[in-house]
Amino acid sequence: ATSPGSGKGLLMEVMSIILTGRTLEARTLPGNDDEVRKMLTAELLRGPRLILLDNADQEAPKLHSPALAAALTSVVWTDRFLSRSQMVSSLNKALWLMTGNNVRLTTEIARRAIQIGLQPKESKPWERKADEFRHPNLREWVIQNRPRLLNAILTICQAWLASGTSYGAKSLGSFESWSGVVGGVLEHAGVEGFLETKGTAYELADAETEEWRDFVDAWRERHGLNAAKVSSLYCLCEELELLAAVLGPGSDRSRQTKLGIGLSNQLGRIYGPVAVTLSRDKGKHGKWYKLAPSNLATSTVGPCQGSPSEFQGKSDSKGTFDNLGDLFSTVESKSENQKLGTNLATRNESRD
C-alpha cells in the first residue's frame, strides 16, 4: 500500500476467515536471513495453509532474503532442526502473504510474488468514518456471511470443473499448476486481468538492470569488444555518473571494489547484442573484462543469466479436483505433514 491504515491487514484477515473460519496469525520477517530460515522451518512444521509476514521493512533498500525466495518455490522444505543435529522435511503447501507500505523487492522475490496495490485517496485513511463503507464492520460481516461467501466461491469453482477444467491462458514460471487453476477459474467466471501487472512489478524491482544496461552501452561505445581493466571501467562510471546505486557511497577504492564484484556477478549476462565476459588473454595481470557478441558468449562463459521465465500461451494441461482441495482445505495436520515431507525427501534422495 502507499500508506499505513490502508486496509492491508484487514484484507488478509477476512480472506483467512473465509478460507479457514478463523483469524490469521501474523509474524514479521526477521532482518537476519539465518533467523528467517529458522522461522520458516518452525512455521512449515506446523503445517499451515496460510502464512502472513506482516509489515515488511519499508526502510530497507530492498526486501532481500535467499531463504524466503527458496521457500516460496520449494515443494518440500528441508532444514536442520533447531538445537539438534537432525534434518527435518516438511511439505510446503501454504499460501504465502506479505503486507507492507511501498516495499521494494529484489528480482528474486518479485518474480515469485503477485502484488496487490492499495492506494487510499486520503492522507490519513485510518480516520475514515464507518458510514463511508458498504460494510462498516467488514470483519463481523464476513464472519456472519461466511457460508454464503464460501458457497459462492465453490460454485464458481464447480462451474469451472464442469466446463472441463481448462487451464488459464497465462502461466507463471515455478507456479504453473497454481496459475493454471486460478487463471482458468477466473477466465471461466469472466474475471479479466489475471497476471496482467506481473511484468510491470518485475520491471520496478529490476531497476538495477537498467543501470547495468546503460553502463554496458557506454562501455561498448568507449571500448568496443576490447578488454578493459576494472579501474578503466570505474573511471567511465565516474565520468558519466553510471551505476550510482550499485557503487553506493564510500571511497574510490571501495567503490571500485564494488564494481569488480558487480562485474563478476554479471558474467554471462546478455545486454542486447553483447554479453559480459572475462578476458583470459595471456600477459595481462589481474582481472580484465570485455564484451563479446551474445551469440558467442554462451560457449565461452557458460549458461547466460536472463529474466525469469514467465511462460505464455494456453496449456493443454487439465486441472484436477485435488488442486481445488488444496486451495480451500482448512485441515492442518502437523504429524501428517512431517511424515509426508520426510517420506518424499527420502524418495527423492533414493532416486538421485
Side-chain angles (χ1 to χ4, degrees):
T2 56
S3 67
S6 303
K8 305 179 296 297
L10 180 60
L11 178 63
M12 300 296 100
E13 189 171 353
V14 297
M15 182 177 64
S16 177
I17 293 172
I18 294 172
L19 294 180
T20 68
R22 53 186 178 274
T23 57
L24 180 60
E25 299 175 355
R27 76 278 301 139
T28 58
L29 191 70
N32 181 281
D33 201 55
D34 190 50
E35 292 301 318
V36 171
R37 178 183 55 78
K38 295 175 184 177
M39 184 270 288
L40 295 178
T41 301
E43 193 65 41
L44 286 171
L45 285 175
R46 295 174 56 241
R49 286 293 185 260
L50 300 171
I51 297 178
L52 172 60
L53 304 173
D54 202 13
N55 287 326
D57 187 4
Q58 184 181 7
E59 301 301 323
K62 284 189 177 183
L63 179 66
H64 173 71
S65 172
L68 177 60
L72 292 177
T73 47
S74 296
V75 176
V76 177
W77 177 259
T78 301
D79 189 26
R80 185 175 66 85
F81 199 85
L82 192 62
S83 302
R84 299 183 189 176
S85 298
Q86 175 186 356
M87 300 299 289
V88 293
S89 296
S90 174
L91 282 177
N92 178 10
K93 304 180 76 174
L95 174 62
W96 296 78
L97 309 164
M98 176 176 285
T99 65
N101 299 314
N102 288 325
V103 178
R104 292 168 295 279
L105 307 176
T106 62
T107 54
E108 282 299 301
I109 299 294
R111 84 167 188 87
R112 293 165 164 85
I114 296 178
Q115 293 177 267
I116 301 170
L118 296 178
Q119 187 174 8
K121 298 180 180 180
E122 301 181 21
S123 59
K124 298 180 179 180
W126 59 89
E127 293 183 352
R128 287 175 292 185
K129 296 179 181 179
D131 57 13
E132 297 180 23
F133 299 92
R134 177 181 298 179
H135 304 295
N137 190 336
L138 181 60
R139 186 183 297 103
E140 189 63 30
W141 182 87
V142 168
I143 292 174
Q144 294 175 1
N145 291 272
R146 181 176 181 249
R148 290 175 53 204
L149 294 168
L150 266 180
N151 182 68
I153 294 172
L154 294 174
T155 298
I156 293 172
C157 295
Q158 184 60 42
W160 174 72
L161 290 169
S163 72
T165 64
S166 295
Y167 271 17
K170 293 185 177 180
S171 184
L172 182 63
S174 302
F175 302 93
E176 291 84 0
S177 179
W178 177 87
S179 56
V181 171
V182 176
V185 171
L186 292 175
E187 285 181 18
H188 188 264
V191 179
E192 301 178 350
F194 181 61
L195 292 181
E196 282 189 357
T197 61
K198 193 72 183 75
T200 303
Y202 183 83
E203 289 174 5
L204 290 174
D206 200 26
E208 185 176 304
T209 296
E210 291 301 315
E211 284 199 82
W212 278 102
R213 185 172 288 111
D214 292 341
F215 166 70
V216 169
D217 288 343
W219 178 0
R220 184 157 59 101
E221 184 176 339
R222 178 69 59 86
H223 297 281
L225 302 183
N226 299 316
K229 295 181 67 174
V230 175
S231 57
S232 298
L233 296 175
Y234 174 70
C235 291
L236 179 64
C237 291
E238 288 290 280
E239 178 185 341
L240 301 180
E241 298 182 354
L242 300 168
L243 295 179
V246 175
L247 303 182
S251 64
D252 286 341
R253 184 177 182 82
S254 67
R255 286 161 56 82
Q256 185 170 313
T257 300
K258 291 178 183 177
L259 177 60
I261 295 173
L263 287 167
S264 296
N265 293 334
Q266 294 294 314
L267 285 177
R269 187 75 181 261
I270 293 176
Y271 293 95
V274 297
V276 179
T277 65
L278 187 65
S279 176
R280 302 186 182 281
D281 296 343
K282 293 183 178 180
K284 291 182 177 180
H285 300 287
K287 284 190 175 181
W288 290 64
Y289 295 87
K290 67 178 180 179
L291 300 176
S294 56
N295 62 330
L296 301 177
T298 54
S299 63
T300 57
V301 299
C304 292
Q305 304 170 15
S307 298
S309 172
E310 296 188 12
F311 302 102
Q312 301 294 324
K314 193 161 186 175
S315 171
D316 294 330
S317 302
K318 301 294 183 180
T320 65
F321 186 78
D322 289 339
N323 294 125
L324 291 178
D326 285 345
L327 287 174
F328 299 105
S329 172
T330 61
V331 179
E332 299 181 2
S333 173
K334 175 181 176 181
S335 59
E336 181 183 7
N337 190 2
Q338 291 177 305
K339 181 179 178 181
L340 288 173
T342 303
N343 290 343
L344 182 55
T346 301
R347 287 200 300 272
N348 287 341
E349 291 174 1
S350 299
R351 185 178 64 227
D352 293 342

PDB file of all heavy atoms in Angstrom, residues 143-174:
ATOM      1  N   ILE A 143     -17.709 -12.827   9.021  1.00  0.00           N
ATOM      2  CA  ILE A 143     -17.969 -13.945   9.938  1.00  0.00           C
ATOM      3  C   ILE A 143     -19.419 -14.409   9.821  1.00  0.00           C
ATOM      4  O   ILE A 143     -19.707 -15.607   9.754  1.00  0.00           O
ATOM      5  CB  ILE A 143     -17.635 -13.538  11.390  1.00  0.00           C
ATOM      6  CG1 ILE A 143     -16.129 -13.326  11.545  1.00  0.00           C
ATOM      7  CG2 ILE A 143     -18.128 -14.598  12.368  1.00  0.00           C
ATOM      8  CD1 ILE A 143     -15.721 -12.780  12.903  1.00  0.00           C
ATOM      9  N   GLN A 144     -20.340 -13.470   9.777  1.00  0.00           N
ATOM     10  CA  GLN A 144     -21.761 -13.805   9.718  1.00  0.00           C
ATOM     11  C   GLN A 144     -22.154 -14.389   8.361  1.00  0.00           C
ATOM     12  O   GLN A 144     -23.085 -15.215   8.276  1.00  0.00           O
ATOM     13  CB  GLN A 144     -22.608 -12.563  10.003  1.00  0.00           C
ATOM     14  CG  GLN A 144     -22.465 -12.037  11.427  1.00  0.00           C
ATOM     15  CD  GLN A 144     -23.213 -10.735  11.638  1.00  0.00           C
ATOM     16  OE1 GLN A 144     -23.866 -10.212  10.728  1.00  0.00           O
ATOM     17  NE2 GLN A 144     -23.134 -10.208  12.867  1.00  0.00           N
ATOM     18  N   ASN A 145     -21.464 -13.981   7.313  1.00  0.00           N
ATOM     19  CA  ASN A 145     -21.842 -14.403   5.958  1.00  0.00           C
ATOM     20  C   ASN A 145     -20.873 -15.401   5.352  1.00  0.00           C
ATOM     21  O   ASN A 145     -20.911 -15.628   4.134  1.00  0.00           O
ATOM     22  CB  ASN A 145     -21.946 -13.177   5.054  1.00  0.00           C
ATOM     23  CG  ASN A 145     -23.120 -12.296   5.399  1.00  0.00           C
ATOM     24  OD1 ASN A 145     -24.231 -12.491   4.907  1.00  0.00           O
ATOM     25  ND2 ASN A 145     -22.886 -11.308   6.255  1.00  0.00           N
ATOM     26  N   ARG A 146     -20.032 -16.006   6.163  1.00  0.00           N
ATOM     27  CA  ARG A 146     -19.044 -16.937   5.630  1.00  0.00           C
ATOM     28  C   ARG A 146     -19.669 -18.075   4.821  1.00  0.00           C
ATOM     29  O   ARG A 146     -19.162 -18.421   3.741  1.00  0.00           O
ATOM     30  CB  ARG A 146     -18.201 -17.510   6.762  1.00  0.00           C
ATOM     31  CG  ARG A 146     -17.119 -18.472   6.243  1.00  0.00           C
ATOM     32  CD  ARG A 146     -16.206 -18.974   7.350  1.00  0.00           C
ATOM     33  NE  ARG A 146     -15.202 -19.864   6.798  1.00  0.00           N
ATOM     34  CZ  ARG A 146     -15.140 -21.177   7.023  1.00  0.00           C
ATOM     35  NH1 ARG A 146     -16.029 -21.751   7.820  1.00  0.00           N
ATOM     36  NH2 ARG A 146     -14.194 -21.916   6.467  1.00  0.00           N
ATOM     37  N   PRO A 147     -20.777 -18.702   5.279  1.00  0.00           N
ATOM     38  CA  PRO A 147     -21.372 -19.775   4.461  1.00  0.00           C
ATOM     39  C   PRO A 147     -21.760 -19.296   3.059  1.00  0.00           C
ATOM     40  O   PRO A 147     -21.521 -20.003   2.073  1.00  0.00           O
ATOM     41  CB  PRO A 147     -22.595 -20.196   5.271  1.00  0.00           C
ATOM     42  CG  PRO A 147     -22.240 -19.847   6.679  1.00  0.00           C
ATOM     43  CD  PRO A 147     -21.464 -18.575   6.574  1.00  0.00           C
ATOM     44  N   ARG A 148     -22.331 -18.112   2.942  1.00  0.00           N
ATOM     45  CA  ARG A 148     -22.720 -17.573   1.637  1.00  0.00           C
ATOM     46  C   ARG A 148     -21.490 -17.317   0.762  1.00  0.00           C
ATOM     47  O   ARG A 148     -21.491 -17.604  -0.439  1.00  0.00           O
ATOM     48  CB  ARG A 148     -23.502 -16.266   1.814  1.00  0.00           C
ATOM     49  CG  ARG A 148     -24.883 -16.421   2.414  1.00  0.00           C
ATOM     50  CD  ARG A 148     -25.504 -15.054   2.665  1.00  0.00           C
ATOM     51  NE  ARG A 148     -25.465 -14.242   1.444  1.00  0.00           N
ATOM     52  CZ  ARG A 148     -25.500 -12.918   1.448  1.00  0.00           C
ATOM     53  NH1 ARG A 148     -25.553 -12.247   2.590  1.00  0.00           N
ATOM     54  NH2 ARG A 148     -25.484 -12.253   0.297  1.00  0.00           N
ATOM     55  N   LEU A 149     -20.437 -16.753   1.368  1.00  0.00           N
ATOM     56  CA  LEU A 149     -19.232 -16.444   0.610  1.00  0.00           C
ATOM     57  C   LEU A 149     -18.539 -17.714   0.122  1.00  0.00           C
ATOM     58  O   LEU A 149     -18.111 -17.799  -1.033  1.00  0.00           O
ATOM     59  CB  LEU A 149     -18.274 -15.619   1.475  1.00  0.00           C
ATOM     60  CG  LEU A 149     -18.775 -14.218   1.863  1.00  0.00           C
ATOM     61  CD1 LEU A 149     -17.883 -13.608   2.942  1.00  0.00           C
ATOM     62  CD2 LEU A 149     -18.813 -13.315   0.639  1.00  0.00           C
ATOM     63  N   LEU A 150     -18.447 -18.710   1.001  1.00  0.00           N
ATOM     64  CA  LEU A 150     -17.836 -19.979   0.597  1.00  0.00           C
ATOM     65  C   LEU A 150     -18.657 -20.656  -0.490  1.00  0.00           C
ATOM     66  O   LEU A 150     -18.105 -21.208  -1.450  1.00  0.00           O
ATOM     67  CB  LEU A 150     -17.721 -20.906   1.806  1.00  0.00           C
ATOM     68  CG  LEU A 150     -16.402 -20.889   2.583  1.00  0.00           C
ATOM     69  CD1 LEU A 150     -16.464 -21.862   3.748  1.00  0.00           C
ATOM     70  CD2 LEU A 150     -15.228 -21.227   1.680  1.00  0.00           C
ATOM     71  N   ASN A 151     -19.984 -20.607  -0.349  1.00  0.00           N
ATOM     72  CA  ASN A 151     -20.848 -21.210  -1.360  1.00  0.00           C
ATOM     73  C   ASN A 151     -20.638 -20.544  -2.723  1.00  0.00           C
ATOM     74  O   ASN A 151     -20.589 -21.217  -3.761  1.00  0.00           O
ATOM     75  CB  ASN A 151     -22.312 -21.084  -0.932  1.00  0.00           C
ATOM     76  CG  ASN A 151     -23.256 -21.740  -1.930  1.00  0.00           C
ATOM     77  OD1 ASN A 151     -23.266 -22.958  -2.076  1.00  0.00           O
ATOM     78  ND2 ASN A 151     -24.037 -20.935  -2.621  1.00  0.00           N
ATOM     79  N   ALA A 152     -20.483 -19.223  -2.710  1.00  0.00           N
ATOM     80  CA  ALA A 152     -20.272 -18.501  -3.966  1.00  0.00           C
ATOM     81  C   ALA A 152     -18.939 -18.900  -4.599  1.00  0.00           C
ATOM     82  O   ALA A 152     -18.853 -19.140  -5.817  1.00  0.00           O
ATOM     83  CB  ALA A 152     -20.312 -16.997  -3.703  1.00  0.00           C
ATOM     84  N   ILE A 153     -17.880 -18.963  -3.784  1.00  0.00           N
ATOM     85  CA  ILE A 153     -16.559 -19.336  -4.298  1.00  0.00           C
ATOM     86  C   ILE A 153     -16.578 -20.751  -4.866  1.00  0.00           C
ATOM     87  O   ILE A 153     -16.100 -21.008  -5.980  1.00  0.00           O
ATOM     88  CB  ILE A 153     -15.501 -19.226  -3.185  1.00  0.00           C
ATOM     89  CG1 ILE A 153     -15.316 -17.765  -2.768  1.00  0.00           C
ATOM     90  CG2 ILE A 153     -14.174 -19.816  -3.640  1.00  0.00           C
ATOM     91  CD1 ILE A 153     -14.438 -17.595  -1.543  1.00  0.00           C
ATOM     92  N   LEU A 154     -17.152 -21.690  -4.137  1.00  0.00           N
ATOM     93  CA  LEU A 154     -17.163 -23.085  -4.574  1.00  0.00           C
ATOM     94  C   LEU A 154     -18.068 -23.291  -5.780  1.00  0.00           C
ATOM     95  O   LEU A 154     -17.805 -24.165  -6.609  1.00  0.00           O
ATOM     96  CB  LEU A 154     -17.584 -23.982  -3.414  1.00  0.00           C
ATOM     97  CG  LEU A 154     -16.591 -24.014  -2.237  1.00  0.00           C
ATOM     98  CD1 LEU A 154     -17.162 -24.815  -1.078  1.00  0.00           C
ATOM     99  CD2 LEU A 154     -15.260 -24.595  -2.674  1.00  0.00           C
ATOM    100  N   THR A 155     -19.108 -22.479  -5.900  1.00  0.00           N
ATOM    101  CA  THR A 155     -19.977 -22.565  -7.084  1.00  0.00           C
ATOM    102  C   THR A 155     -19.209 -22.153  -8.334  1.00  0.00           C
ATOM    103  O   THR A 155     -19.305 -22.784  -9.385  1.00  0.00           O
ATOM    104  CB  THR A 155     -21.217 -21.668  -6.910  1.00  0.00           C
ATOM    105  OG1 THR A 155     -21.974 -22.130  -5.786  1.00  0.00           O
ATOM    106  CG2 THR A 155     -22.097 -21.706  -8.152  1.00  0.00           C
ATOM    107  N   ILE A 156     -18.424 -21.080  -8.210  1.00  0.00           N
ATOM    108  CA  ILE A 156     -17.594 -20.638  -9.339  1.00  0.00           C
ATOM    109  C   ILE A 156     -16.587 -21.725  -9.719  1.00  0.00           C
ATOM    110  O   ILE A 156     -16.373 -22.008 -10.905  1.00  0.00           O
ATOM    111  CB  ILE A 156     -16.865 -19.326  -8.969  1.00  0.00           C
ATOM    112  CG1 ILE A 156     -17.871 -18.183  -8.820  1.00  0.00           C
ATOM    113  CG2 ILE A 156     -15.819 -18.968 -10.017  1.00  0.00           C
ATOM    114  CD1 ILE A 156     -17.267 -16.905  -8.281  1.00  0.00           C
ATOM    115  N   CYS A 157     -15.984 -22.351  -8.721  1.00  0.00           N
ATOM    116  CA  CYS A 157     -15.002 -23.413  -8.985  1.00  0.00           C
ATOM    117  C   CYS A 157     -15.677 -24.647  -9.582  1.00  0.00           C
ATOM    118  O   CYS A 157     -15.124 -25.290 -10.483  1.00  0.00           O
ATOM    119  CB  CYS A 157     -14.276 -23.778  -7.693  1.00  0.00           C
ATOM    120  SG  CYS A 157     -13.263 -22.444  -7.032  1.00  0.00           S
ATOM    121  N   GLN A 158     -16.865 -24.981  -9.087  1.00  0.00           N
ATOM    122  CA  GLN A 158     -17.574 -26.144  -9.617  1.00  0.00           C
ATOM    123  C   GLN A 158     -17.980 -25.931 -11.075  1.00  0.00           C
ATOM    124  O   GLN A 158     -17.951 -26.857 -11.888  1.00  0.00           O
ATOM    125  CB  GLN A 158     -18.823 -26.432  -8.764  1.00  0.00           C
ATOM    126  CG  GLN A 158     -19.580 -27.683  -9.175  1.00  0.00           C
ATOM    127  CD  GLN A 158     -18.720 -28.929  -9.068  1.00  0.00           C
ATOM    128  OE1 GLN A 158     -17.982 -29.100  -8.095  1.00  0.00           O
ATOM    129  NE2 GLN A 158     -18.805 -29.811 -10.062  1.00  0.00           N
ATOM    130  N   ALA A 159     -18.320 -24.691 -11.412  1.00  0.00           N
ATOM    131  CA  ALA A 159     -18.649 -24.388 -12.809  1.00  0.00           C
ATOM    132  C   ALA A 159     -17.442 -24.616 -13.704  1.00  0.00           C
ATOM    133  O   ALA A 159     -17.565 -25.116 -14.829  1.00  0.00           O
ATOM    134  CB  ALA A 159     -19.135 -22.944 -12.916  1.00  0.00           C
ATOM    135  N   TRP A 160     -16.256 -24.244 -13.202  1.00  0.00           N
ATOM    136  CA  TRP A 160     -15.022 -24.476 -13.966  1.00  0.00           C
ATOM    137  C   TRP A 160     -14.775 -25.970 -14.128  1.00  0.00           C
ATOM    138  O   TRP A 160     -14.390 -26.447 -15.201  1.00  0.00           O
ATOM    139  CB  TRP A 160     -13.851 -23.799 -13.256  1.00  0.00           C
ATOM    140  CG  TRP A 160     -12.511 -24.079 -13.860  1.00  0.00           C
ATOM    141  CD1 TRP A 160     -12.023 -23.611 -15.033  1.00  0.00           C
ATOM    142  CD2 TRP A 160     -11.477 -24.900 -13.299  1.00  0.00           C
ATOM    143  NE1 TRP A 160     -10.741 -24.077 -15.251  1.00  0.00           N
ATOM    144  CE2 TRP A 160     -10.389 -24.869 -14.191  1.00  0.00           C
ATOM    145  CE3 TRP A 160     -11.368 -25.639 -12.128  1.00  0.00           C
ATOM    146  CZ2 TRP A 160      -9.206 -25.562 -13.952  1.00  0.00           C
ATOM    147  CZ3 TRP A 160     -10.189 -26.339 -11.878  1.00  0.00           C
ATOM    148  CH2 TRP A 160      -9.126 -26.294 -12.787  1.00  0.00           C
ATOM    149  N   LEU A 161     -14.985 -26.746 -13.055  1.00  0.00           N
ATOM    150  CA  LEU A 161     -14.803 -28.194 -13.126  1.00  0.00           C
ATOM    151  C   LEU A 161     -15.760 -28.811 -14.143  1.00  0.00           C
ATOM    152  O   LEU A 161     -15.380 -29.669 -14.942  1.00  0.00           O
ATOM    153  CB  LEU A 161     -15.026 -28.820 -11.746  1.00  0.00           C
ATOM    154  CG  LEU A 161     -13.962 -28.544 -10.689  1.00  0.00           C
ATOM    155  CD1 LEU A 161     -14.444 -28.998  -9.321  1.00  0.00           C
ATOM    156  CD2 LEU A 161     -12.664 -29.247 -11.042  1.00  0.00           C
ATOM    157  N   ALA A 162     -16.999 -28.351 -14.127  1.00  0.00           N
ATOM    158  CA  ALA A 162     -17.997 -28.905 -15.046  1.00  0.00           C
ATOM    159  C   ALA A 162     -17.708 -28.545 -16.492  1.00  0.00           C
ATOM    160  O   ALA A 162     -18.118 -29.261 -17.414  1.00  0.00           O
ATOM    161  CB  ALA A 162     -19.386 -28.392 -14.653  1.00  0.00           C
ATOM    162  N   SER A 163     -16.967 -27.448 -16.698  1.00  0.00           N
ATOM    163  CA  SER A 163     -16.681 -26.994 -18.058  1.00  0.00           C
ATOM    164  C   SER A 163     -15.531 -27.762 -18.705  1.00  0.00           C
ATOM    165  O   SER A 163     -15.267 -27.601 -19.894  1.00  0.00           O
ATOM    166  CB  SER A 163     -16.358 -25.498 -18.052  1.00  0.00           C
ATOM    167  OG  SER A 163     -15.079 -25.267 -17.484  1.00  0.00           O
ATOM    168  N   GLY A 164     -14.800 -28.546 -17.918  1.00  0.00           N
ATOM    169  CA  GLY A 164     -13.689 -29.306 -18.471  1.00  0.00           C
ATOM    170  C   GLY A 164     -12.331 -28.946 -17.902  1.00  0.00           C
ATOM    171  O   GLY A 164     -11.318 -29.509 -18.296  1.00  0.00           O
ATOM    172  N   THR A 165     -12.278 -28.009 -17.002  1.00  0.00           N
ATOM    173  CA  THR A 165     -11.066 -27.631 -16.257  1.00  0.00           C
ATOM    174  C   THR A 165      -9.912 -27.230 -17.156  1.00  0.00           C
ATOM    175  O   THR A 165      -8.779 -27.679 -16.968  1.00  0.00           O
ATOM    176  CB  THR A 165     -10.609 -28.758 -15.314  1.00  0.00           C
ATOM    177  OG1 THR A 165     -10.226 -29.895 -16.097  1.00  0.00           O
ATOM    178  CG2 THR A 165     -11.703 -29.155 -14.356  1.00  0.00           C
ATOM    179  N   SER A 166     -10.147 -26.384 -18.141  1.00  0.00           N
ATOM    180  CA  SER A 166      -9.046 -25.879 -18.958  1.00  0.00           C
ATOM    181  C   SER A 166      -8.223 -24.877 -18.167  1.00  0.00           C
ATOM    182  O   SER A 166      -8.786 -23.995 -17.501  1.00  0.00           O
ATOM    183  CB  SER A 166      -9.604 -25.204 -20.218  1.00  0.00           C
ATOM    184  OG  SER A 166     -10.257 -26.137 -21.037  1.00  0.00           O
ATOM    185  N   TYR A 167      -6.910 -25.006 -18.237  1.00  0.00           N
ATOM    186  CA  TYR A 167      -6.027 -24.063 -17.558  1.00  0.00           C
ATOM    187  C   TYR A 167      -6.139 -22.678 -18.196  1.00  0.00           C
ATOM    188  O   TYR A 167      -6.487 -22.540 -19.370  1.00  0.00           O
ATOM    189  CB  TYR A 167      -4.587 -24.543 -17.631  1.00  0.00           C
ATOM    190  CG  TYR A 167      -4.169 -25.454 -16.506  1.00  0.00           C
ATOM    191  CD1 TYR A 167      -5.115 -26.082 -15.701  1.00  0.00           C
ATOM    192  CD2 TYR A 167      -2.822 -25.695 -16.248  1.00  0.00           C
ATOM    193  CE1 TYR A 167      -4.728 -26.907 -14.675  1.00  0.00           C
ATOM    194  CE2 TYR A 167      -2.422 -26.533 -15.220  1.00  0.00           C
ATOM    195  CZ  TYR A 167      -3.387 -27.130 -14.437  1.00  0.00           C
ATOM    196  OH  TYR A 167      -3.002 -27.941 -13.413  1.00  0.00           O
ATOM    197  N   GLY A 168      -5.799 -21.663 -17.409  1.00  0.00           N
ATOM    198  CA  GLY A 168      -5.828 -20.302 -17.895  1.00  0.00           C
ATOM    199  C   GLY A 168      -4.776 -20.063 -18.965  1.00  0.00           C
ATOM    200  O   GLY A 168      -3.802 -20.811 -19.087  1.00  0.00           O
ATOM    201  N   ALA A 169      -4.974 -18.996 -19.738  1.00  0.00           N
ATOM    202  CA  ALA A 169      -4.077 -18.701 -20.853  1.00  0.00           C
ATOM    203  C   ALA A 169      -2.709 -18.249 -20.379  1.00  0.00           C
ATOM    204  O   ALA A 169      -1.713 -18.451 -21.058  1.00  0.00           O
ATOM    205  CB  ALA A 169      -4.703 -17.636 -21.753  1.00  0.00           C
ATOM    206  N   LYS A 170      -2.639 -17.628 -19.203  1.00  0.00           N
ATOM    207  CA  LYS A 170      -1.369 -17.116 -18.700  1.00  0.00           C
ATOM    208  C   LYS A 170      -0.829 -18.032 -17.623  1.00  0.00           C
ATOM    209  O   LYS A 170      -1.572 -18.525 -16.777  1.00  0.00           O
ATOM    210  CB  LYS A 170      -1.545 -15.701 -18.151  1.00  0.00           C
ATOM    211  CG  LYS A 170      -1.888 -14.676 -19.223  1.00  0.00           C
ATOM    212  CD  LYS A 170      -1.927 -13.285 -18.661  1.00  0.00           C
ATOM    213  CE  LYS A 170      -2.205 -12.261 -19.758  1.00  0.00           C
ATOM    214  NZ  LYS A 170      -2.242 -10.885 -19.228  1.00  0.00           N
ATOM    215  N   SER A 171       0.491 -18.225 -17.669  1.00  0.00           N
ATOM    216  CA  SER A 171       1.133 -19.094 -16.691  1.00  0.00           C
ATOM    217  C   SER A 171       2.321 -18.377 -16.079  1.00  0.00           C
ATOM    218  O   SER A 171       2.873 -17.442 -16.667  1.00  0.00           O
ATOM    219  CB  SER A 171       1.595 -20.391 -17.345  1.00  0.00           C
ATOM    220  OG  SER A 171       2.129 -21.286 -16.387  1.00  0.00           O
ATOM    221  N   LEU A 172       2.700 -18.815 -14.903  1.00  0.00           N
ATOM    222  CA  LEU A 172       3.803 -18.201 -14.171  1.00  0.00           C
ATOM    223  C   LEU A 172       4.840 -19.260 -13.859  1.00  0.00           C
ATOM    224  O   LEU A 172       4.526 -20.293 -13.250  1.00  0.00           O
ATOM    225  CB  LEU A 172       3.282 -17.563 -12.882  1.00  0.00           C
ATOM    226  CG  LEU A 172       4.290 -16.835 -11.999  1.00  0.00           C
ATOM    227  CD1 LEU A 172       4.886 -15.646 -12.745  1.00  0.00           C
ATOM    228  CD2 LEU A 172       3.620 -16.342 -10.715  1.00  0.00           C
ATOM    229  N   GLY A 173       6.087 -19.029 -14.299  1.00  0.00           N
ATOM    230  CA  GLY A 173       7.148 -19.991 -14.069  1.00  0.00           C
ATOM    231  C   GLY A 173       7.316 -20.336 -12.607  1.00  0.00           C
ATOM    232  O   GLY A 173       7.306 -19.462 -11.750  1.00  0.00           O
ATOM    233  N   SER A 174       7.446 -21.610 -12.299  1.00  0.00           N
ATOM    234  CA  SER A 174       7.571 -22.186 -10.954  1.00  0.00           C
ATOM    235  C   SER A 174       6.227 -22.322 -10.252  1.00  0.00           C
ATOM    236  O   SER A 174       6.148 -22.937  -9.193  1.00  0.00           O
ATOM    237  CB  SER A 174       8.523 -21.373 -10.056  1.00  0.00           C
ATOM    238  OG  SER A 174       9.809 -21.285 -10.630  1.00  0.00           O
TER     239      SER A 174
END
